[in-house]
Amino acid sequence: MLDVHFWENRYITQNTGWDLAGPSPHFVALLKNPPECLKPGAMAVLGCGRGHDAALFAQHGFQVTGFDYASSAVQEARQRYGQWADFQQVDIFTLSHPDSPFAHQFDYVLEHTCFCAILPKQRTDYLKTVTHLLKPGGSLIGVFWEHDDPDGPPFSSTLEEINTLFGHDFDISSLEERQPANSRRGIERLMILRRKKEL
């Protein structure tokens, strides 16, 4: 089971191979030359881990709230980057509840190694969470994994699967021309998915 105990144990034992000890090179490159649609605003970071990506965007003027399942991850994020961003321990799937205080509060949701870490059968619930968090016209900025290993985590996702899952509610752009050279080149895909204003 990929429950809170699973992820907490990964942080306690330092078995966090997805953690780059810094922000994703995709996001670093994106912010060096941001597209016109990317202006500072309120941002939620799902599965924020130790907070590297959240802090990067906060340092570029975004108002960032990071959410993670594991208390150890949130504690580390607060210790490292608490002066830049707010970090909360929460099951991200509870953020789509009708009484959530975060409903439609964000201009952006940031995704990196969260979508690939949940069970594929949970992806519809992930979509509900993202849609519930975003304002109409808000954007999901994501780095999605595509690889040949059938097991996980990380669980692979193809461009076709992403289009099928998000295509009804989002306009999708794949930013192939912005892919940085790094050790994950060829298995990561940077995308911006803009929530349609009328759902």
Side-chain angles (χ1 to χ4, degrees):
M1 289 292 294
L2 303 183
D3 59 12
V4 64
H5 303 292
F6 174 87
W7 294 111
E8 180 68 11
N9 186 64
R10 294 290 293 265
Y11 280 98
I12 290 173
T13 61
Q14 301 292 312
N15 186 12
T16 54
W18 63 87
D19 190 310
L20 299 173
S24 166
H26 294 276
F27 298 147
V28 173
L30 183 67
L31 289 171
K32 282 183 178 178
N33 183 25
E36 184 64 26
C37 65
L38 185 59
K39 299 182 183 298
M43 173 178 282
V45 183
L46 299 182
C48 65
R50 294 186 173 101
H52 310 306
D53 295 324
L56 173 71
F57 278 84
Q59 290 162 7
H60 281 79
F62 292 77
Q63 297 80 52
V64 182
T65 304
F67 301 100
D68 203 279
Y69 214 3
S71 61
S72 292
V74 172
Q75 290 170 13
E76 286 193 54
R78 288 172 177 167
Q79 290 170 359
R80 295 183 185 211
Y81 304 119
Q83 74 273 31
W84 292 103
D86 178 37
F87 297 99
Q88 301 199 20
Q89 181 191 7
V90 68
D91 177 345
I92 65 166
F93 298 114
T94 67
L95 297 174
S96 62
H97 289 178
D99 59 351
S100 169
F102 300 103
H104 313 308
Q105 295 299 304
F106 296 98
D107 302 292
Y108 305 96
V109 170
L110 194 70
E111 158 61 44
H112 180 215
T113 70
C114 181
F115 185 78
C116 69
I118 64 174
L119 295 171
K121 67 181 181 181
Q122 295 176 296
R123 288 177 175 175
T124 300
D125 291 330
Y126 178 97
L127 170 62
K128 291 177 183 177
T129 293
V130 171
T131 304
H132 197 69
L133 290 173
L134 283 174
K135 301 174 184 177
S139 295
L140 169 63
I141 304 170
V143 175
F144 295 91
W145 282 55
E146 184 173 1
H147 56 77
D148 296 327
D149 187 348
D151 299 319
F155 297 99
S156 182
S157 57
T158 66
L159 181 58
E160 290 73 23
E161 290 169 336
I162 293 170
N163 283 330
T164 298
L165 179 63
F166 292 97
H168 181 267
D169 298 330
F170 290 81
D171 295 314
I172 302 173
S173 300
S174 182
L175 304 179
E176 297 289 347
E177 75 281 2
R178 292 176 176 268
Q179 304 293 70
N182 63 61
S183 61
R184 294 176 178 172
R185 188 173 181 85
I187 62 171
E188 288 187 330
R189 183 189 301 274
L190 175 63
M191 305 183 74
I192 294 181
L193 299 83
R194 186 174 179 84
R195 183 184 171 213
K196 296 176 182 177
K197 292 187 178 182
E198 299 296 333
L199 294 178

